[in-house]
Amino acid sequence: AAATAKWYDRRDSVFIEFCVGDTKDLKVRFEQSSINFSCLGGPEKAKHQNVLDLYGDIDHKESKHRRTDRSVLCCLKKAVAGRSWPRLSKDKGKVTWLSVDFNNWKDWDEDSDEDLSSFDKFSEMMNTMGGDGLPDMEGGDEEHGVAGSGDGKMPDPE
């Protein structure tokens, strides 16, 4: 059976998340214009296979996937960055196992210049360990001379 999946579009990549937990025998094959996903997954170790002809071409050598306990996230690098994909599949028909990931979807035509490239974001997302805001607080102390007292303002004792 096909695994259920969600996808969203970014300026230079397309993301697909296959919602299968505890995957075994995972195989993800990226071709120039298709993706082939198969695994055993879930508590029953059921076999899943998803094959999809993609809306556009991808750089299959640069595309990556990352397995987590809950799902397998694929980052497909677009062959042509900056062209939006209105859908993931080549065919207009509905792909029964695929839905749009509305949490991550946004119209990137308006705002994307400040955006990290999706690939950087993908790496960053994979490495994030929380801790937002700490560096700024530490940085604030330096201005009050706590960290910077012995840095050459005192004359050297001869």
Side-chain angles (χ1 to χ4, degrees):
T4 55
K6 307 182 295 205
W7 80 286
Y8 60 98
D9 184 39
R10 284 287 189 271
R11 176 172 285 273
D12 56 2
S13 320
V14 177
F15 290 84
I16 312 171
E17 184 173 10
F18 291 99
C19 307
V20 187
D22 299 324
T23 47
K24 300 264 184 299
D25 295 342
L26 173 65
K27 294 182 184 65
V28 183
R29 210 171 71 233
F30 301 116
E31 305 281 345
Q32 184 183 346
S33 58
S34 68
I35 177 173
N36 189 333
F37 169 89
S38 68
C39 69
L40 303 175
E44 307 84 43
K45 298 284 170 271
K47 183 162 174 43
H48 299 281
Q49 177 158 32
N50 299 48
V51 181
L52 188 66
D53 287 325
L54 298 168
Y55 172 81
D57 286 349
I58 59 171
D59 182 344
H60 55 87
K61 293 191 180 65
E62 286 292 315
S63 297
K64 315 173 183 171
H65 71 278
R66 170 108 182 190
R67 180 186 167 279
T68 69
D69 293 340
R70 290 189 304 280
S71 66
V72 178
L73 183 62
C74 300
C75 180
L76 311 181
K77 181 92 165 149
K78 292 179 181 177
V80 182
R83 182 182 292 168
S84 74
W85 288 25
R87 59 183 186 277
L88 184 60
S89 68
K90 195 162 115 177
D91 301 324
K92 273 207 168 75
K94 177 109 177 75
V95 180
T96 48
W97 49 265
L98 187 66
S99 60
V100 170
D101 185 347
F102 286 108
N103 294 335
N104 285 303
W105 187 276
K106 65 176 202 280
D107 290 326
W108 46 256
D109 295 334
E110 297 114 49
D111 64 357
S112 37
D113 285 344
E114 309 89 74
D115 240 5
L116 277 169
S117 87
S118 324
F119 242 65
D120 296 341
K121 223 181 228 128
F122 183 70
S123 318
E124 190 181 271
M125 186 166 80
M126 294 309 181
N127 301 333
T128 314
M129 295 305 296
D132 281 350
L134 289 175
D136 293 340
M137 286 158 55
E138 287 163 15
D141 287 344
E142 282 175 29
E143 290 158 36
H144 305 299
V146 178
S149 41
D151 60 0
K153 295 194 185 80
M154 305 277 293
D156 288 334
E158 306 251 58

